[in-house]
Amino acid sequence: MNCIEAAEGTAKAILLKNLDLVEGYSLDVSEYIRNVKAIIEAAATFAKTIPDSGDWPEALTESLYFFAKKQWLARMQKNGETEPSQTETADIEYQAYCYDYIYTHGNYPR
């Protein structure tokens, strides 16, 4: 395992643990997403210190962002019914929109 794989794996493990904490302590979603962003930014900052990292920090940021979003949405679906209805599918799409918005702006869409 090289340094890049170790950094990405560590960041993913931290993101999953953060998701467990949100669920376990019923933390606010916006707080969770701001924490996700901080974790991703820290991993990208570390990646930039690796000699000859090239565009890897940007790729890492994107990979971790989609990983965290996918895990969060999957956890939301898991907590719902086994077969989601159309309403629940629309809600998941709205939650995905909110996730993107909060990640970018730091708060819920108004």
Side-chain angles (χ1 to χ4, degrees):
M1 176 181 296
N2 64 33
C3 182
I4 292 171
E5 291 169 340
E8 185 172 9
T10 300
K12 285 181 177 180
I14 293 168
L15 288 167
L16 288 174
K17 185 63 176 175
N18 187 42
L19 183 57
D20 290 341
L21 289 172
V22 167
E23 188 174 55
Y25 292 101
S26 301
L27 299 176
D28 182 67
V29 172
S30 62
E31 183 178 353
Y32 161 72
I33 296 171
R34 285 190 300 266
N35 288 341
V36 164
K37 187 172 184 174
I39 293 165
I40 291 171
E41 287 175 349
T45 299
F46 170 76
K48 290 175 185 174
T49 68
I50 298 171
D52 299 323
S53 62
D55 64 351
W56 182 71
E58 292 80 18
L60 177 66
T61 298
E62 185 176 327
S63 171
L64 292 176
Y65 173 81
F66 287 111
F67 172 81
K69 181 178 176 181
K70 180 181 173 185
Q71 296 302 315
W72 181 68
L73 291 171
R75 187 79 56 106
M76 288 185 67
Q77 286 179 317
K78 182 181 133 191
N79 292 336
E81 296 178 2
T82 322
E83 296 289 328
S85 68
Q86 272 189 321
T87 304
E88 290 167 338
T89 301
D91 184 55
I92 292 295
E93 290 172 3
Y94 177 72
Q95 293 302 321
Y97 163 76
C98 285
Y99 186 96
D100 295 336
Y101 190 93
I102 294 168
Y103 188 89
T104 302
H105 301 285
N107 54 15
Y108 283 97
R110 297 187 193 263

Coordinates of all heavy atoms in Angstrom, one line a residue, residues 38-72:
A38 N -14.8 19.4 6.1 CA -13.5 19.6 6.9 C -12.6 18.4 6.7 O -11.4 18.6 6.5 CB -13.8 19.9 8.3
I39 N -13.1 17.2 6.8 CA -12.3 16.0 6.7 C -11.7 15.9 5.3 O -10.6 15.6 5.1 CB -13.2 14.7 7.0 CG1 -13.5 14.7 8.5 CG2 -12.4 13.5 6.6 CD1 -14.7 13.8 8.9
I40 N -12.6 16.2 4.3 CA -12.1 16.1 2.9 C -11.1 17.2 2.6 O -10.0 16.9 2.0 CB -13.3 16.2 1.9 CG1 -14.2 15.0 2.0 CG2 -12.9 16.4 0.5 CD1 -15.5 15.1 1.3
E41 N -11.3 18.4 3.1 CA -10.3 19.4 2.9 C -9.0 19.1 3.6 O -7.9 19.4 3.0 CB -10.8 20.8 3.4 CG -11.9 21.3 2.5 CD -12.6 22.6 3.0 OE1 -12.3 23.0 4.2 OE2 -13.3 23.2 2.2
A42 N -9.0 18.5 4.8 CA -7.8 18.1 5.5 C -7.1 17.0 4.7 O -5.8 17.1 4.6 CB -8.1 17.6 6.9
A43 N -7.8 16.1 4.1 CA -7.1 15.0 3.3 C -6.5 15.6 2.1 O -5.4 15.2 1.7 CB -8.1 13.9 3.0
A44 N -7.2 16.5 1.4 CA -6.6 17.2 0.2 C -5.4 18.0 0.6 O -4.4 18.0 -0.2 CB -7.7 18.0 -0.4
T45 N -5.4 18.7 1.7 CA -4.3 19.5 2.2 C -3.1 18.6 2.4 O -2.0 18.9 2.0 CB -4.6 20.3 3.4 OG1 -5.7 21.2 3.2 CG2 -3.4 21.0 4.0
F46 N -3.3 17.4 3.0 CA -2.2 16.5 3.2 C -1.7 16.0 1.9 O -0.5 15.9 1.6 CB -2.7 15.3 4.1 CG -1.7 14.1 4.1 CD1 -0.6 14.2 4.8 CD2 -1.9 13.0 3.3 CE1 0.4 13.2 4.8 CE2 -1.0 12.0 3.3 CZ 0.1 12.1 4.0
A47 N -2.6 15.7 0.9 CA -2.2 15.1 -0.4 C -1.3 16.1 -1.1 O -0.4 15.7 -1.8 CB -3.5 14.8 -1.2
K48 N -1.6 17.4 -0.9 CA -0.7 18.4 -1.6 C 0.7 18.4 -1.1 O 1.6 18.9 -1.8 CB -1.4 19.8 -1.4 CG -2.6 20.0 -2.2 CD -3.3 21.3 -1.9 CE -4.6 21.4 -2.7 NZ -5.4 22.6 -2.3
T49 N 0.9 17.8 0.1 CA 2.3 17.8 0.7 C 3.1 16.6 0.1 O 4.3 16.6 0.3 CB 2.3 17.7 2.2 OG1 1.7 16.4 2.6 CG2 1.5 18.8 2.8
I50 N 2.5 15.7 -0.6 CA 3.2 14.6 -1.1 C 3.9 15.0 -2.4 O 3.3 15.6 -3.3 CB 2.2 13.4 -1.5 CG1 1.5 13.0 -0.2 CG2 2.9 12.3 -2.1 CD1 0.3 12.0 -0.4
P51 N 5.2 14.8 -2.5 CA 5.9 15.2 -3.7 C 5.4 14.5 -4.9 O 5.0 13.4 -4.9 CB 7.4 14.7 -3.4 CG 7.4 14.5 -1.9 CD 6.0 14.2 -1.5
D52 N 5.3 15.3 -6.0 CA 4.8 14.8 -7.3 C 3.4 14.3 -7.2 O 3.1 13.3 -7.9 CB 5.8 13.7 -7.9 CG 7.2 14.3 -8.1 OD1 7.3 15.4 -8.5 OD2 8.1 13.5 -7.9
S53 N 2.5 14.9 -6.4 CA 1.2 14.4 -6.3 C 0.3 14.8 -7.5 O -0.8 14.2 -7.7 CB 0.5 15.0 -5.0 OG 0.5 16.4 -5.0
G54 N 0.8 15.7 -8.3 CA 0.0 16.1 -9.5 C -1.4 16.5 -9.2 O -1.6 17.3 -8.3
D55 N -2.3 15.9 -10.0 CA -3.7 16.3 -9.7 C -4.4 15.4 -8.8 O -5.6 15.4 -8.6 CB -4.5 16.3 -11.1 CG -4.5 15.0 -11.8 OD1 -3.9 14.0 -11.3 OD2 -5.3 14.9 -12.8
W56 N -3.7 14.6 -8.1 CA -4.3 13.6 -7.1 C -5.1 14.3 -6.0 O -6.1 13.8 -5.7 CB -3.2 12.7 -6.5 CG -3.8 11.7 -5.6 CD1 -4.6 10.6 -5.9 CD2 -3.7 11.7 -4.2 NE1 -5.0 10.0 -4.8 CE2 -4.5 10.6 -3.7 CE3 -3.1 12.5 -3.2 CZ2 -4.6 10.3 -2.3 CZ3 -3.2 12.2 -1.9 CH2 -4.0 11.2 -1.5
P57 N -4.7 15.4 -5.5 CA -5.5 16.1 -4.4 C -6.9 16.4 -4.9 O -7.9 16.2 -4.2 CB -4.7 17.4 -4.1 CG -3.3 17.0 -4.4 CD -3.4 16.1 -5.6
E58 N -7.0 16.8 -6.2 CA -8.4 17.1 -6.7 C -9.2 15.9 -6.9 O -10.4 15.8 -6.6 CB -8.3 17.9 -8.0 CG -7.7 19.3 -7.9 CD -6.2 19.4 -7.7 OE1 -5.5 18.4 -8.1 OE2 -5.7 20.4 -7.3
A59 N -8.5 14.8 -7.4 CA -9.2 13.5 -7.6 C -9.6 12.9 -6.2 O -10.7 12.4 -6.1 CB -8.3 12.6 -8.3
L60 N -8.8 13.1 -5.2 CA -9.1 12.6 -3.9 C -10.3 13.4 -3.3 O -11.2 12.7 -2.8 CB -7.9 12.8 -2.9 CG -8.1 12.4 -1.5 CD1 -8.4 10.9 -1.4 CD2 -6.9 12.9 -0.6
T61 N -10.3 14.7 -3.5 CA -11.4 15.5 -3.0 C -12.7 15.0 -3.6 O -13.7 14.8 -2.9 CB -11.2 17.0 -3.4 OG1 -10.1 17.4 -2.7 CG2 -12.4 17.8 -3.0
E62 N -12.7 14.8 -4.9 CA -13.9 14.3 -5.6 C -14.3 12.9 -5.2 O -15.5 12.6 -4.9 CB -13.7 14.3 -7.1 CG -14.9 14.0 -7.9 CD -14.7 14.1 -9.4 OE1 -13.9 14.9 -9.9 OE2 -15.3 13.3 -10.2
S63 N -13.4 12.0 -5.1 CA -13.6 10.6 -4.7 C -14.2 10.6 -3.3 O -15.2 9.9 -3.0 CB -12.3 9.8 -4.7 OG -12.5 8.6 -4.1
L64 N -13.6 11.3 -2.3 CA -14.1 11.3 -1.0 C -15.5 12.0 -0.9 O -16.4 11.6 -0.1 CB -13.2 12.0 0.0 CG -11.8 11.3 0.2 CD1 -10.9 12.2 1.0 CD2 -12.0 10.0 0.8
Y65 N -15.7 13.1 -1.6 CA -17.0 13.7 -1.6 C -18.1 12.8 -2.0 O -19.1 12.6 -1.3 CB -17.0 14.9 -2.6 CG -18.4 15.6 -2.7 CD1 -18.9 16.4 -1.8 CD2 -19.2 15.3 -3.8 CE1 -20.1 17.0 -1.9 CE2 -20.4 15.8 -4.0 CZ -20.9 16.7 -3.0 OH -22.1 17.2 -3.1
F66 N -17.9 12.1 -3.2 CA -19.0 11.1 -3.6 C -19.1 9.9 -2.7 O -20.2 9.4 -2.5 CB -18.7 10.8 -5.1 CG -19.1 11.9 -6.0 CD1 -18.1 12.5 -6.7 CD2 -20.4 12.3 -6.2 CE1 -18.4 13.6 -7.6 CE2 -20.7 13.4 -7.0 CZ -19.7 14.0 -7.7
F67 N -18.0 9.5 -2.2 CA -18.0 8.4 -1.2 C -18.9 8.7 0.0 O -19.8 8.0 0.4 CB -16.6 8.0 -0.7 CG -16.6 7.0 0.4 CD1 -16.7 5.6 0.1 CD2 -16.4 7.4 1.7 CE1 -16.7 4.7 1.1 CE2 -16.4 6.5 2.7 CZ -16.6 5.1 2.4
A68 N -18.6 9.9 0.6 CA -19.4 10.3 1.8 C -20.9 10.5 1.5 O -21.7 10.1 2.2 CB -18.8 11.6 2.3
K69 N -21.2 11.2 0.3 CA -22.5 11.4 -0.1 C -23.3 10.1 -0.3 O -24.4 9.9 0.2 CB -22.6 12.2 -1.3 CG -24.0 12.6 -1.8 CD -23.9 13.4 -3.1 CE -25.3 13.7 -3.6 NZ -25.2 14.6 -4.9
K70 N -22.6 9.1 -1.0 CA -23.2 7.8 -1.3 C -23.5 7.1 0.0 O -24.6 6.5 0.2 CB -22.3 7.0 -2.1 CG -22.8 5.6 -2.5 CD -21.8 4.9 -3.4 CE -22.2 3.5 -3.6 NZ -21.3 2.7 -4.3
Q71 N -22.6 7.1 1.0 CA -22.8 6.4 2.3 C -23.9 7.0 3.0 O -24.7 6.3 3.7 CB -21.5 6.5 3.1 CG -20.3 5.7 2.5 CD -20.6 4.3 2.2 OE1 -21.2 3.6 3.0 NE2 -20.3 3.8 1.0
W72 N -24.0 8.4 3.0 CA -25.1 9.1 3.8 C -26.4 8.7 3.2 O -27.4 8.4 3.9 CB -24.8 10.6 3.8 CG -25.8 11.4 4.5 CD1 -26.0 11.4 5.8 CD2 -26.7 12.3 3.9 NE1 -27.1 12.2 6.1 CE2 -27.5 12.8 5.0 CE3 -27.0 12.7 2.6 CZ2 -28.5 13.7 4.8 CZ3 -28.0 13.6 2.4 CH2 -28.7 14.1 3.5

